[in-house]
PDB file of all heavy atoms in Angstrom:
ATOM      1  N   THR Q1356       0.856  -1.189   0.003  1.00 42.00           N
ATOM      2  CA  THR Q1356       0.000  -0.004  -0.002  1.00 42.00           C
ATOM      3  C   THR Q1356       0.901   1.216  -0.007  1.00 42.00           C
ATOM      4  O   THR Q1356       1.795   1.309   0.788  1.00 42.00           O
ATOM      5  CB  THR Q1356      -0.855   0.031   1.285  1.00 42.00           C
ATOM      6  OG1 THR Q1356      -1.565  -1.219   1.356  1.00 42.00           O
ATOM      7  CG2 THR Q1356      -1.780   1.175   1.314  1.00 42.00           C
ATOM      8  N   ALA Q1357       0.597   2.162  -0.861  1.00 45.00           N
ATOM      9  CA  ALA Q1357       1.441   3.350  -0.928  1.00 45.00           C
ATOM     10  C   ALA Q1357       1.304   4.129   0.350  1.00 45.00           C
ATOM     11  O   ALA Q1357       0.237   4.155   1.000  1.00 45.00           O
ATOM     12  CB  ALA Q1357       0.940   4.229  -2.089  1.00 45.00           C
ATOM     13  N   GLU Q1358       2.393   4.740   0.789  1.00 49.00           N
ATOM     14  CA  GLU Q1358       2.381   5.501   2.010  1.00 49.00           C
ATOM     15  C   GLU Q1358       1.440   6.678   1.883  1.00 49.00           C
ATOM     16  O   GLU Q1358       1.404   7.334   0.850  1.00 49.00           O
ATOM     17  CB  GLU Q1358       3.780   5.981   2.349  1.00 49.00           C
ATOM     18  CG  GLU Q1358       3.847   6.456   3.734  1.00 49.00           C
ATOM     19  CD  GLU Q1358       5.266   6.487   4.237  1.00 49.00           C
ATOM     20  OE1 GLU Q1358       6.039   5.648   3.808  1.00 49.00           O
ATOM     21  OE2 GLU Q1358       5.619   7.386   5.009  1.00 49.00           O
ATOM     22  N   GLU Q1359       0.657   6.884   2.915  1.00 53.00           N
ATOM     23  CA  GLU Q1359      -0.337   7.948   2.846  1.00 53.00           C
ATOM     24  C   GLU Q1359       0.030   9.051   3.815  1.00 53.00           C
ATOM     25  O   GLU Q1359       0.132   8.853   5.011  1.00 53.00           O
ATOM     26  CB  GLU Q1359      -1.684   7.359   3.245  1.00 53.00           C
ATOM     27  CG  GLU Q1359      -2.777   8.375   3.424  1.00 53.00           C
ATOM     28  CD  GLU Q1359      -4.057   7.692   3.909  1.00 53.00           C
ATOM     29  OE1 GLU Q1359      -4.326   6.556   3.445  1.00 53.00           O
ATOM     30  OE2 GLU Q1359      -4.774   8.291   4.724  1.00 53.00           O
ATOM     31  N   PRO Q1360       0.243  10.237   3.339  1.00 53.00           N
ATOM     32  CA  PRO Q1360       0.611  11.350   4.218  1.00 53.00           C
ATOM     33  C   PRO Q1360      -0.472  11.542   5.291  1.00 53.00           C
ATOM     34  O   PRO Q1360      -1.625  11.462   4.942  1.00 53.00           O
ATOM     35  CB  PRO Q1360       0.728  12.574   3.318  1.00 53.00           C
ATOM     36  CG  PRO Q1360       0.840  11.986   1.963  1.00 53.00           C
ATOM     37  CD  PRO Q1360       0.147  10.663   2.011  1.00 53.00           C
ATOM     38  N   ALA Q1361      -0.069  11.800   6.505  1.00 48.00           N
ATOM     39  CA  ALA Q1361      -1.084  11.972   7.529  1.00 48.00           C
ATOM     40  C   ALA Q1361      -0.919  13.289   8.169  1.00 48.00           C
ATOM     41  O   ALA Q1361       0.206  13.793   8.309  1.00 48.00           O
ATOM     42  CB  ALA Q1361      -0.938  10.893   8.556  1.00 48.00           C
ATOM     43  N   PRO Q1362      -1.999  13.903   8.575  1.00 45.00           N
ATOM     44  CA  PRO Q1362      -1.909  15.220   9.232  1.00 45.00           C
ATOM     45  C   PRO Q1362      -1.023  15.136  10.470  1.00 45.00           C
ATOM     46  O   PRO Q1362      -1.072  14.203  11.200  1.00 45.00           O
ATOM     47  CB  PRO Q1362      -3.390  15.503   9.605  1.00 45.00           C
ATOM     48  CG  PRO Q1362      -4.180  14.653   8.678  1.00 45.00           C
ATOM     49  CD  PRO Q1362      -3.342  13.433   8.459  1.00 45.00           C
ATOM     50  N   ALA Q1363      -0.250  16.140  10.653  1.00 51.00           N
ATOM     51  CA  ALA Q1363       0.636  16.159  11.813  1.00 51.00           C
ATOM     52  C   ALA Q1363      -0.115  16.130  13.111  1.00 51.00           C
ATOM     53  O   ALA Q1363       0.416  15.816  14.157  1.00 51.00           O
ATOM     54  CB  ALA Q1363       1.533  17.400  11.746  1.00 51.00           C
ATOM     55  N   ALA Q1364      -1.412  16.503  13.051  1.00 78.00           N
ATOM     56  CA  ALA Q1364      -2.197  16.554  14.276  1.00 78.00           C
ATOM     57  C   ALA Q1364      -2.480  15.207  14.894  1.00 78.00           C
ATOM     58  O   ALA Q1364      -2.805  15.164  16.065  1.00 78.00           O
ATOM     59  CB  ALA Q1364      -3.549  17.288  13.929  1.00 78.00           C
ATOM     60  N   TYR Q1365      -2.356  14.137  14.150  1.00 96.00           N
ATOM     61  CA  TYR Q1365      -2.640  12.827  14.689  1.00 96.00           C
ATOM     62  C   TYR Q1365      -1.572  12.473  15.773  1.00 96.00           C
ATOM     63  O   TYR Q1365      -0.365  12.534  15.547  1.00 96.00           O
ATOM     64  CB  TYR Q1365      -2.589  11.749  13.584  1.00 96.00           C
ATOM     65  CG  TYR Q1365      -3.904  11.605  12.860  1.00 96.00           C
ATOM     66  CD1 TYR Q1365      -4.248  12.496  11.841  1.00 96.00           C
ATOM     67  CD2 TYR Q1365      -4.779  10.602  13.199  1.00 96.00           C
ATOM     68  CE1 TYR Q1365      -5.432  12.341  11.182  1.00 96.00           C
ATOM     69  CE2 TYR Q1365      -5.991  10.446  12.532  1.00 96.00           C
ATOM     70  CZ  TYR Q1365      -6.321  11.334  11.496  1.00 96.00           C
ATOM     71  OH  TYR Q1365      -7.497  11.202  10.855  1.00 96.00           O
ATOM     72  N   ARG Q1366      -2.092  12.111  16.958  1.00 97.00           N
ATOM     73  CA  ARG Q1366      -1.241  11.711  18.062  1.00 97.00           C
ATOM     74  C   ARG Q1366      -1.847  10.501  18.775  1.00 97.00           C
ATOM     75  O   ARG Q1366      -3.063  10.372  18.882  1.00 97.00           O
ATOM     76  CB  ARG Q1366      -0.992  12.836  19.054  1.00 97.00           C
ATOM     77  CG  ARG Q1366      -0.298  14.027  18.450  1.00 97.00           C
ATOM     78  CD  ARG Q1366       0.086  15.089  19.545  1.00 97.00           C
ATOM     79  NE  ARG Q1366       1.162  14.570  20.361  1.00 97.00           N
ATOM     80  CZ  ARG Q1366       2.463  14.660  20.048  1.00 97.00           C
ATOM     81  NH1 ARG Q1366       2.817  15.226  18.876  1.00 97.00           N
ATOM     82  NH2 ARG Q1366       3.401  14.201  20.842  1.00 97.00           N
ATOM     83  N   LEU Q1367      -0.975   9.712  19.359  1.00 98.00           N
ATOM     84  CA  LEU Q1367      -1.385   8.568  20.174  1.00 98.00           C
ATOM     85  C   LEU Q1367      -0.882   8.820  21.623  1.00 98.00           C
ATOM     86  O   LEU Q1367       0.300   9.100  21.788  1.00 98.00           O
ATOM     87  CB  LEU Q1367      -0.766   7.261  19.669  1.00 98.00           C
ATOM     88  CG  LEU Q1367      -1.031   6.009  20.537  1.00 98.00           C
ATOM     89  CD1 LEU Q1367      -2.515   5.638  20.502  1.00 98.00           C
ATOM     90  CD2 LEU Q1367      -0.131   4.869  20.059  1.00 98.00           C
ATOM     91  N   ALA Q1368      -1.770   8.725  22.593  1.00 98.00           N
ATOM     92  CA  ALA Q1368      -1.359   8.932  23.980  1.00 98.00           C
ATOM     93  C   ALA Q1368      -1.890   7.803  24.819  1.00 98.00           C
ATOM     94  O   ALA Q1368      -3.070   7.413  24.743  1.00 98.00           O
ATOM     95  CB  ALA Q1368      -1.894  10.241  24.505  1.00 98.00           C
ATOM     96  N   ILE Q1369      -1.008   7.220  25.641  1.00 98.00           N
ATOM     97  CA  ILE Q1369      -1.371   6.199  26.633  1.00 98.00           C
ATOM     98  C   ILE Q1369      -0.823   6.684  27.971  1.00 98.00           C
ATOM     99  O   ILE Q1369       0.325   6.458  28.336  1.00 98.00           O
ATOM    100  CB  ILE Q1369      -0.788   4.816  26.275  1.00 98.00           C
ATOM    101  CG1 ILE Q1369      -1.157   4.421  24.842  1.00 98.00           C
ATOM    102  CG2 ILE Q1369      -1.272   3.743  27.270  1.00 98.00           C
ATOM    103  CD1 ILE Q1369      -0.566   3.081  24.390  1.00 98.00           C
ATOM    104  N   PRO Q1370      -1.623   7.415  28.729  1.00 98.00           N
ATOM    105  CA  PRO Q1370      -1.209   8.077  29.961  1.00 98.00           C
ATOM    106  C   PRO Q1370      -0.543   7.109  30.989  1.00 98.00           C
ATOM    107  O   PRO Q1370       0.396   7.516  31.635  1.00 98.00           O
ATOM    108  CB  PRO Q1370      -2.498   8.670  30.530  1.00 98.00           C
ATOM    109  CG  PRO Q1370      -3.308   8.928  29.316  1.00 98.00           C
ATOM    110  CD  PRO Q1370      -3.064   7.752  28.428  1.00 98.00           C
ATOM    111  N   SER Q1371      -1.003   5.896  31.092  1.00 98.00           N
ATOM    112  CA  SER Q1371      -0.466   4.973  32.089  1.00 98.00           C
ATOM    113  C   SER Q1371       1.001   4.668  31.897  1.00 98.00           C
ATOM    114  O   SER Q1371       1.676   4.270  32.853  1.00 98.00           O
ATOM    115  CB  SER Q1371      -1.275   3.663  32.090  1.00 98.00           C
ATOM    116  OG  SER Q1371      -1.155   2.992  30.867  1.00 98.00           O
ATOM    117  N   ILE Q1372       1.506   4.811  30.682  1.00 98.00           N
ATOM    118  CA  ILE Q1372       2.947   4.577  30.417  1.00 98.00           C
ATOM    119  C   ILE Q1372       3.671   5.835  29.989  1.00 98.00           C
ATOM    120  O   ILE Q1372       4.838   5.764  29.519  1.00 98.00           O
ATOM    121  CB  ILE Q1372       3.172   3.444  29.405  1.00 98.00           C
ATOM    122  CG1 ILE Q1372       2.501   3.755  28.034  1.00 98.00           C
ATOM    123  CG2 ILE Q1372       2.627   2.089  29.948  1.00 98.00           C
ATOM    124  CD1 ILE Q1372       2.851   2.772  26.916  1.00 98.00           C
ATOM    125  N   GLY Q1373       2.974   6.971  30.122  1.00 98.00           N
ATOM    126  CA  GLY Q1373       3.621   8.246  29.798  1.00 98.00           C
ATOM    127  C   GLY Q1373       3.906   8.426  28.269  1.00 98.00           C
ATOM    128  O   GLY Q1373       4.795   9.162  27.933  1.00 98.00           O
ATOM    129  N   LEU Q1374       3.135   7.778  27.444  1.00 98.00           N
ATOM    130  CA  LEU Q1374       3.352   7.881  25.991  1.00 98.00           C
ATOM    131  C   LEU Q1374       2.446   8.954  25.415  1.00 98.00           C
ATOM    132  O   LEU Q1374       1.268   9.000  25.645  1.00 98.00           O
ATOM    133  CB  LEU Q1374       3.022   6.553  25.330  1.00 98.00           C
ATOM    134  CG  LEU Q1374       3.081   6.527  23.787  1.00 98.00           C
ATOM    135  CD1 LEU Q1374       4.528   6.707  23.327  1.00 98.00           C
ATOM    136  CD2 LEU Q1374       2.504   5.235  23.228  1.00 98.00           C
ATOM    137  N   ASP Q1375       3.055   9.837  24.630  1.00 98.00           N
ATOM    138  CA  ASP Q1375       2.294  10.826  23.849  1.00 98.00           C
ATOM    139  C   ASP Q1375       3.162  11.107  22.607  1.00 98.00           C
ATOM    140  O   ASP Q1375       4.239  11.756  22.706  1.00 98.00           O
ATOM    141  CB  ASP Q1375       2.121  12.125  24.677  1.00 98.00           C
ATOM    142  CG  ASP Q1375       1.273  13.150  23.943  1.00 98.00           C
ATOM    143  OD1 ASP Q1375       0.965  12.947  22.751  1.00 98.00           O
ATOM    144  OD2 ASP Q1375       0.906  14.161  24.591  1.00 98.00           O
ATOM    145  N   HIS Q1376       2.741  10.616  21.491  1.00 97.00           N
ATOM    146  CA  HIS Q1376       3.632  10.625  20.308  1.00 97.00           C
ATOM    147  C   HIS Q1376       2.820  10.878  19.031  1.00 97.00           C
ATOM    148  O   HIS Q1376       1.687  10.393  18.854  1.00 97.00           O
ATOM    149  CB  HIS Q1376       4.367   9.308  20.167  1.00 97.00           C
ATOM    150  CG  HIS Q1376       5.649   9.378  19.410  1.00 97.00           C
ATOM    151  ND1 HIS Q1376       5.690   9.470  18.021  1.00 97.00           N
ATOM    152  CD2 HIS Q1376       6.935   9.354  19.831  1.00 97.00           C
ATOM    153  CE1 HIS Q1376       6.942   9.524  17.626  1.00 97.00           C
ATOM    154  NE2 HIS Q1376       7.736   9.486  18.687  1.00 97.00           N
ATOM    155  N   ALA Q1377       3.390  11.641  18.139  1.00 96.00           N
ATOM    156  CA  ALA Q1377       2.773  11.840  16.769  1.00 96.00           C
ATOM    157  C   ALA Q1377       2.738  10.523  16.026  1.00 96.00           C
ATOM    158  O   ALA Q1377       3.579   9.654  16.249  1.00 96.00           O
ATOM    159  CB  ALA Q1377       3.574  12.878  16.016  1.00 96.00           C
ATOM    160  N   MET Q1378       1.754  10.393  15.152  1.00 97.00           N
ATOM    161  CA  MET Q1378       1.722   9.188  14.297  1.00 97.00           C
ATOM    162  C   MET Q1378       1.211   9.551  12.899  1.00 97.00           C
ATOM    163  O   MET Q1378       0.563  10.605  12.717  1.00 97.00           O
ATOM    164  CB  MET Q1378       0.840   8.104  14.929  1.00 97.00           C
ATOM    165  CG  MET Q1378      -0.581   8.452  15.135  1.00 97.00           C
ATOM    166  SD  MET Q1378      -1.493   7.030  15.824  1.00 97.00           S
ATOM    167  CE  MET Q1378      -3.027   7.838  16.333  1.00 97.00           C
ATOM    168  N   SER Q1379       1.539   8.694  11.948  1.00 95.00           N
ATOM    169  CA  SER Q1379       1.086   8.970  10.594  1.00 95.00           C
ATOM    170  C   SER Q1379       0.818   7.617   9.899  1.00 95.00           C
ATOM    171  O   SER Q1379       1.175   6.550  10.432  1.00 95.00           O
ATOM    172  CB  SER Q1379       2.215   9.690   9.809  1.00 95.00           C
ATOM    173  OG  SER Q1379       3.393   8.905   9.796  1.00 95.00           O
ATOM    174  N   GLY Q1380       0.171   7.673   8.775  1.00 96.00           N
ATOM    175  CA  GLY Q1380      -0.170   6.460   8.057  1.00 96.00           C
ATOM    176  C   GLY Q1380       0.956   5.965   7.170  1.00 96.00           C
ATOM    177  O   GLY Q1380       1.763   6.756   6.719  1.00 96.00           O
ATOM    178  N   GLY Q1381       0.929   4.683   6.900  1.00 95.00           N
ATOM    179  CA  GLY Q1381       1.967   4.101   5.996  1.00 95.00           C
ATOM    180  C   GLY Q1381       1.547   2.743   5.497  1.00 95.00           C
ATOM    181  O   GLY Q1381       0.636   2.124   6.080  1.00 95.00           O
ATOM    182  N   GLY Q1382       2.229   2.276   4.485  1.00 94.00           N
ATOM    183  CA  GLY Q1382       1.913   0.942   3.924  1.00 94.00           C
ATOM    184  C   GLY Q1382       3.024  -0.016   4.164  1.00 94.00           C
ATOM    185  O   GLY Q1382       3.728   0.076   5.190  1.00 94.00           O
ATOM    186  N   LEU Q1383       3.134  -0.987   3.287  1.00 89.00           N
ATOM    187  CA  LEU Q1383       4.165  -2.022   3.460  1.00 89.00           C
ATOM    188  C   LEU Q1383       5.529  -1.507   2.954  1.00 89.00           C
ATOM    189  O   LEU Q1383       5.596  -0.716   2.037  1.00 89.00           O
ATOM    190  CB  LEU Q1383       3.793  -3.256   2.663  1.00 89.00           C
ATOM    191  CG  LEU Q1383       2.464  -3.929   3.097  1.00 89.00           C
ATOM    192  CD1 LEU Q1383       2.157  -5.112   2.199  1.00 89.00           C
ATOM    193  CD2 LEU Q1383       2.433  -4.297   4.548  1.00 89.00           C
ATOM    194  N   SER Q1384       6.584  -2.003   3.556  1.00 88.00           N
ATOM    195  CA  SER Q1384       7.915  -1.696   3.122  1.00 88.00           C
ATOM    196  C   SER Q1384       8.239  -2.472   1.865  1.00 88.00           C
ATOM    197  O   SER Q1384       7.422  -3.329   1.410  1.00 88.00           O
ATOM    198  CB  SER Q1384       8.939  -1.989   4.230  1.00 88.00           C
ATOM    199  OG  SER Q1384       8.895  -3.390   4.527  1.00 88.00           O
ATOM    200  N   ALA Q1385       9.414  -2.236   1.289  1.00 87.00           N
ATOM    201  CA  ALA Q1385       9.781  -2.901   0.038  1.00 87.00           C
ATOM    202  C   ALA Q1385       9.764  -4.422   0.104  1.00 87.00           C
ATOM    203  O   ALA Q1385       9.492  -5.109  -0.841  1.00 87.00           O
ATOM    204  CB  ALA Q1385      11.143  -2.402  -0.445  1.00 87.00           C
ATOM    205  N   ASP Q1386      10.037  -4.942   1.333  1.00 80.00           N
ATOM    206  CA  ASP Q1386      10.054  -6.380   1.489  1.00 80.00           C
ATOM    207  C   ASP Q1386       8.698  -6.928   1.951  1.00 80.00           C
ATOM    208  O   ASP Q1386       8.587  -8.074   2.328  1.00 80.00           O
ATOM    209  CB  ASP Q1386      11.152  -6.800   2.483  1.00 80.00           C
ATOM    210  CG  ASP Q1386      10.910  -6.299   3.898  1.00 80.00           C
ATOM    211  OD1 ASP Q1386       9.927  -5.523   4.063  1.00 80.00           O
ATOM    212  OD2 ASP Q1386      11.707  -6.621   4.775  1.00 80.00           O
ATOM    213  N   GLY Q1387       7.657  -6.117   1.872  1.00 81.00           N
ATOM    214  CA  GLY Q1387       6.321  -6.573   2.174  1.00 81.00           C
ATOM    215  C   GLY Q1387       5.982  -6.687   3.646  1.00 81.00           C
ATOM    216  O   GLY Q1387       5.094  -7.406   4.015  1.00 81.00           O
ATOM    217  N   THR Q1388       6.705  -5.957   4.511  1.00 80.00           N
ATOM    218  CA  THR Q1388       6.407  -5.980   5.915  1.00 80.00           C
ATOM    219  C   THR Q1388       5.902  -4.637   6.380  1.00 80.00           C
ATOM    220  O   THR Q1388       6.056  -3.639   5.731  1.00 80.00           O
ATOM    221  CB  THR Q1388       7.689  -6.371   6.738  1.00 80.00           C
ATOM    222  OG1 THR Q1388       8.641  -5.317   6.582  1.00 80.00           O
ATOM    223  CG2 THR Q1388       8.281  -7.686   6.253  1.00 80.00           C
ATOM    224  N   ILE Q1389       5.334  -4.653   7.606  1.00 85.00           N
ATOM    225  CA  ILE Q1389       4.920  -3.397   8.217  1.00 85.00           C
ATOM    226  C   ILE Q1389       6.080  -3.000   9.092  1.00 85.00           C
ATOM    227  O   ILE Q1389       6.302  -3.584  10.162  1.00 85.00           O
ATOM    228  CB  ILE Q1389       3.655  -3.552   9.043  1.00 85.00           C
ATOM    229  CG1 ILE Q1389       2.492  -3.915   8.141  1.00 85.00           C
ATOM    230  CG2 ILE Q1389       3.379  -2.266   9.806  1.00 85.00           C
ATOM    231  CD1 ILE Q1389       1.192  -4.186   8.855  1.00 85.00           C
ATOM    232  N   ASP Q1390       6.844  -2.060   8.669  1.00 88.00           N
ATOM    233  CA  ASP Q1390       8.099  -1.724   9.375  1.00 88.00           C
ATOM    234  C   ASP Q1390       8.245  -0.222   9.488  1.00 88.00           C
ATOM    235  O   ASP Q1390       8.945   0.416   8.661  1.00 88.00           O
ATOM    236  CB  ASP Q1390       9.257  -2.348   8.605  1.00 88.00           C
ATOM    237  CG  ASP Q1390      10.548  -2.240   9.369  1.00 88.00           C
ATOM    238  OD1 ASP Q1390      10.555  -1.712  10.537  1.00 88.00           O
ATOM    239  OD2 ASP Q1390      11.563  -2.607   8.828  1.00 88.00           O
ATOM    240  N   PRO Q1391       7.639   0.419  10.484  1.00 93.00           N
ATOM    241  CA  PRO Q1391       7.772   1.854  10.612  1.00 93.00           C
ATOM    242  C   PRO Q1391       9.195   2.289  10.894  1.00 93.00           C
ATOM    243  O   PRO Q1391       9.953   1.540  11.497  1.00 93.00           O
ATOM    244  CB  PRO Q1391       6.851   2.194  11.805  1.00 93.00           C
ATOM    245  CG  PRO Q1391       6.749   0.923  12.552  1.00 93.00           C
ATOM    246  CD  PRO Q1391       6.839  -0.154  11.568  1.00 93.00           C
ATOM    247  N   PRO Q1392       9.583   3.450  10.503  1.00 95.00           N
ATOM    248  CA  PRO Q1392      10.959   3.935  10.773  1.00 95.00           C
ATOM    249  C   PRO Q1392      11.185   4.000  12.281  1.00 95.00           C
ATOM    250  O   PRO Q1392      10.220   4.280  13.027  1.00 95.00           O
ATOM    251  CB  PRO Q1392      11.007   5.332  10.144  1.00 95.00           C
ATOM    252  CG  PRO Q1392       9.942   5.273   9.088  1.00 95.00           C
ATOM    253  CD  PRO Q1392       8.865   4.428   9.678  1.00 95.00           C
TER     254      PRO Q1392
END
């Protein structure tokens, strides 16, 4: 799936572990895996 640009506003937060991080959409890497940078 081609990588899909995502609005910078998207964020994931899990307060119990102190996580608050931006996220964006993406597809499969060249080797066919889901491998975010």
Side-chain angles (χ1 to χ4, degrees):
T1356 305
E1358 195 161 326
E1359 173 184 323
Y1365 275 81
R1366 298 189 70 83
L1367 173 70
I1369 306 178
S1371 63
I1372 59 172
L1374 175 68
D1375 185 351
H1376 204 284
M1378 61 178 168
S1379 60
L1383 300 179
S1384 61
D1386 63 357
T1388 64
I1389 294 177
D1390 188 4

